[in-house]
Amino acid sequence: MTTPKSLIINSPYACPQQHWRKVAQSSSTSPKLEQTDSRRRASYEIFDTRNNTSREVELPLVNQIRERVDAWHTAGYPGITSITRSLLEHWHDSDARQYPFYFCQLEAIETLIWWVEALPDYKQGIAIEGDGGAWERLCSKMATGTGKTTVMAMLITWQVLNALAFPKRHKEFSSNILIIAPGLTVKERLQVLQPGATDNYYDAFSLCPNASLRHKLNQMEVLIENWHSLMPLKEPKRSVQKKGAENDEAFTRRVLGKLASKRGLLVINDEAHHAYRKPAELKISKAQAAEQGI
């Protein structure tokens, strides 16, 4: 593969305008990189280890959502609340903080806001598949180092301030936040999402347009837990008192504490690639994977 002088061809603060595309040569030579004047379509590559080839599979839903969010952004965010508009204007103001937000951070939070607040016309025909449960599950996929924790802080700010300003819209906004961490180290790092923490991200990144809104943000209820706390309790084998299996109500009280009695809950799952597992009937063996070259 031909190696370019630099792989960096876009600014992190603007929508990508170019990307590198692999161009196949003859079967005996490696592909070369060709610079293309457009944003890369959302997709993933599948590598075939049998003959050292790869194929690209597009993600049509992601690309469709990108187009809708872009149109909604260009139109001036029709449908959003006054609180949300104030936040978006503040977050896009590069002079409001030492370092502007990356484009990917702003696109991520705008996409989540679009799904909740945009007028129906901008979401017509879009269906996000769930997992069959009662909770709606949305995923914001961002690369390592692009500021996911900051986006989580922006998400919390948007949700909490709107929940306090519009209490009747409890199906859309919540000031009760449960954050699930993938491990104890990450759980400790996520303490920056506590509004009272010394190094909290709400102040560090100036997420609130004014002191009044920042003060209101302190009214949130936020609980940060490691995913192990979601495991059902095991009954002690040598216990004299047999309590039986933990029921749903006891589980909820144990995990959520005072959040258990709250109305409405926003759950943020950090490192969410751990949250989805293929059903057993869809899994394949190592031998089958080798046969398919994956």
Side-chain angles (χ1 to χ4, degrees):
M1 181 181 292
T2 304
T3 303
K5 293 182 179 179
S6 175
L7 292 174
I8 302 174
I9 53 177
N10 292 293
S11 166
Y13 303 109
C15 180
Q17 300 298 315
Q18 304 172 86
H19 73 274
W20 293 108
R21 184 172 66 92
K22 285 196 294 186
V23 180
Q25 305 295 296
S26 65
S27 58
S28 60
T29 59
S30 300
K32 70 173 184 178
L33 288 180
E34 180 179 272
Q35 189 170 318
T36 304
D37 292 332
S38 64
R39 182 180 184 180
R40 185 189 305 278
R41 301 280 289 175
S43 62
Y44 61 93
E45 278 189 300
I46 297 179
F47 292 89
D48 189 332
T49 57
R50 296 168 299 182
N51 49 26
N52 197 30
T53 60
S54 65
R55 69 180 188 274
E56 186 174 316
V57 179
E58 186 171 319
L59 297 169
L61 179 60
V62 177
N63 289 314
Q64 188 179 18
I65 288 175
R66 279 182 179 176
E67 293 171 358
R68 296 293 185 88
V69 173
D70 185 56
W72 177 68
H73 170 103
T74 302
Y77 311 113
I80 62 174
T81 69
S82 57
I83 292 290
T84 302
R85 185 169 299 281
S86 177
L87 291 174
L88 286 173
E89 290 175 352
H90 181 63
W91 293 341
H92 278 278
D93 183 0
S94 58
D95 296 327
R97 55 198 56 81
Q98 183 178 4
Y99 301 107
F101 292 122
Y102 295 140
F103 167 79
C104 64
Q105 292 175 309
L106 292 170
E107 184 182 50
I109 190 62
E110 284 189 4
T111 301
L112 294 170
I113 294 173
W114 161 83
W115 184 246
V116 174
E117 295 195 57
L119 295 178
D121 290 351
Y122 290 92
K123 296 179 284 187
Q124 187 174 4
I126 301 287
I128 299 179
E129 186 178 356
D131 64 348
W135 290 72
E136 181 178 51
R137 302 178 75 171
L138 305 173
C139 176
S140 184
K141 183 178 180 181
M142 299 175 66
T144 299
T146 53
K148 295 187 293 293
T149 306
T150 304
V151 174
M152 292 165 64
M154 298 165 84
L155 169 61
I156 292 171
T157 302
W158 161 61
Q159 278 283 305
V160 170
L161 293 181
N162 273 291
L164 296 175
F166 308 101
K168 292 184 178 180
R169 298 179 65 171
H170 55 85
K171 291 185 178 181
E172 299 167 273
F173 307 114
S174 177
S175 59
N176 308 307
I177 315 295
L178 171 63
I179 302 172
I180 302 298
L184 295 176
T185 301
V186 177
K187 177 185 176 183
E188 183 62 28
R189 178 176 57 80
L190 292 177
Q191 297 305 312
V192 294
L193 297 176
Q194 294 281 6
T198 304
D199 54 350
N200 74 82
Y201 273 22
Y202 312 103
D203 294 329
F205 292 97
S206 181
L207 295 187
C208 295
N210 54 61
S212 176
L213 289 178
R214 175 61 184 89
H215 181 71
K216 289 182 179 180
L217 202 59
N218 292 330
Q219 298 180 42
M220 75 168 79
E221 294 285 355
V222 58
L223 176 64
I224 304 174
E225 284 290 350
N226 187 32
W227 73 270
H228 292 86
S229 67
L230 302 180
M231 300 297 289
L233 291 180
K234 292 184 178 180
E235 186 176 355
K237 294 182 179 180
R238 296 188 178 183
S239 175
V240 176
Q241 184 179 9
K242 299 296 182 180
K243 296 182 179 180
E246 184 180 33
N247 60 33
D248 291 346
E249 184 178 351
F251 171 84
T252 302
R253 289 198 305 268
R254 174 176 62 83
V255 174
L256 296 182
K258 59 183 178 181
L259 285 182
S261 61
K262 299 293 184 179
R263 184 181 186 182
L265 183 66
L266 172 67
V267 181
I268 302 177
N269 190 356
D270 193 18
E271 305 286 356
H273 53 277
H274 296 292
Y276 289 88
R277 294 184 178 180
K278 290 184 178 180
E281 63 271 16
L282 296 181
K283 294 182 179 180
I284 62 175
S285 66
K286 290 184 178 180
Q288 290 173 313
E291 291 176 1
Q292 297 178 30
I294 57 177

